[in-house]
Amino acid sequence: MSGPRRVVVASGNAGKLRELCALLEDFGADLVPQSALGVAEAEESGNSFEANALIKARNASRCTGLPAIADDSGLEVDALDGAPGVLSARYAGGDAGDEDNIDKLLTNLAGVDASARTARFVCVMVYVENAEDRAPVICRGIWEGRILETTRGDSGFGYDPLFFVPSEGMTAAELDPERKNALSHRGKALRALKRALRSRYA
Ligand code: IMP
């Protein structure tokens, strides 16, 4: 592939950067975290995962002059009309941690029958060649599951201990990381991004 030599990643999260590097290995570009280039985080003011991912990617590209990759993800719960959605990270407030968010979700779902506790993780990955790119690559991955009444498992992060995956008979926090990557919204979005970049720079 003859794509760009350097791409800025609009995330400071070391785990995400590792996953991206592994998946995009044969893309041939150096992936540089935006923090290493002095880019401040953009405000996630959009009302969709796509809007927020694009805000982050365009900001990173504008500040560096490089092509950029960004993602946005979250949990949509049907019985809560799609909440917490784009507010997943700050569901219980700006300083909320995973446990606070889990507590709030359980409180808001109290009394909801098991059959009505359907939910999905969504991840949107975007790539822009420059800040004004009119044809950004946008890839969406979805992972369907159900919200339990109590937490199970201790790997993963965020809402993983509440997210029951019917095909596996366990929560996302009970899966080993490789299996989670194979099934998850993020893994699907990343693999779709890889395919899209391959055809863009074929
Ligand atoms: P972000 O895309 O890093 O901003 O993540 C948004 C929020 O969605 C996270 O803080 C988690 O609360 C939730 N989330 C996203 N992906 C996952 C996942 O794979 N497991 C558990 N929670 C997740």
Side-chain angles (χ1 to χ4, degrees):
M1 255 188 295
S2 57
R5 298 234 306 272
R6 284 178 96 203
V7 175
V8 58
V9 179
S11 164
N13 182 311
K16 279 190 193 168
L17 199 72
R18 246 195 324 274
E19 277 183 24
L20 264 172
C21 286
L23 263 141
L24 297 179
E25 212 168 13
D26 57 348
F27 184 49
D30 283 339
L31 300 186
V32 189
Q34 66 176 15
S35 54
L37 300 172
V39 180
E41 280 184 22
E43 196 195 333
E44 297 180 29
S45 54
N47 59 9
S48 68
F49 298 113
E50 281 79 1
N52 282 335
L54 276 170
I55 287 171
K56 291 188 256 187
R58 291 197 196 282
N59 174 66
S61 187
R62 188 172 301 114
C63 294
T64 60
L66 294 170
I69 288 176
D71 78 317
D72 198 45
S73 60
L75 178 71
E76 291 180 347
V77 180
D78 293 324
L80 302 175
D81 293 326
V86 291
L87 297 179
S88 292
R90 36 199 166 115
Y91 191 37
D95 299 327
D98 289 344
E99 271 185 40
D100 305 314
N101 289 333
I102 281 178
D103 285 348
K104 179 164 180 183
L105 184 60
L106 286 176
T107 302
N108 288 349
L109 282 176
V112 176
D113 211 63
S115 62
R117 296 171 80 101
T118 48
R120 69 206 50 79
F121 279 126
V122 179
C123 176
V124 172
M125 303 270 336
V126 307
Y127 170 87
V128 295
E129 208 157 54
N130 55 62
E132 273 75 46
D133 193 339
R134 285 160 178 254
V137 176
I138 302 177
C139 300
R140 181 174 251 253
I142 292 174
W143 194 17
E144 298 285 346
R146 209 155 39 73
I147 304 301
L148 296 181
E149 289 180 18
T150 51
T151 58
R152 274 171 50 179
D154 47 23
S155 69
F157 71 102
Y159 300 92
D160 279 345
L162 280 184
F163 188 77
F164 182 77
V165 186
S167 65
E168 309 297 298
M170 52 179 88
T171 68
E174 293 174 303
L175 290 175
D176 70 59
E178 252 182 49
R179 187 67 187 145
K180 184 182 170 190
N181 276 340
L183 299 170
S184 80
H185 52 314
R186 190 165 298 100
K188 288 174 187 159
L190 272 169
R191 288 188 290 277
L193 181 75
K194 183 174 173 173
R195 286 193 297 274
L197 289 177
R198 264 206 191 120
S199 66
R200 181 160 178 161
Y201 291 107

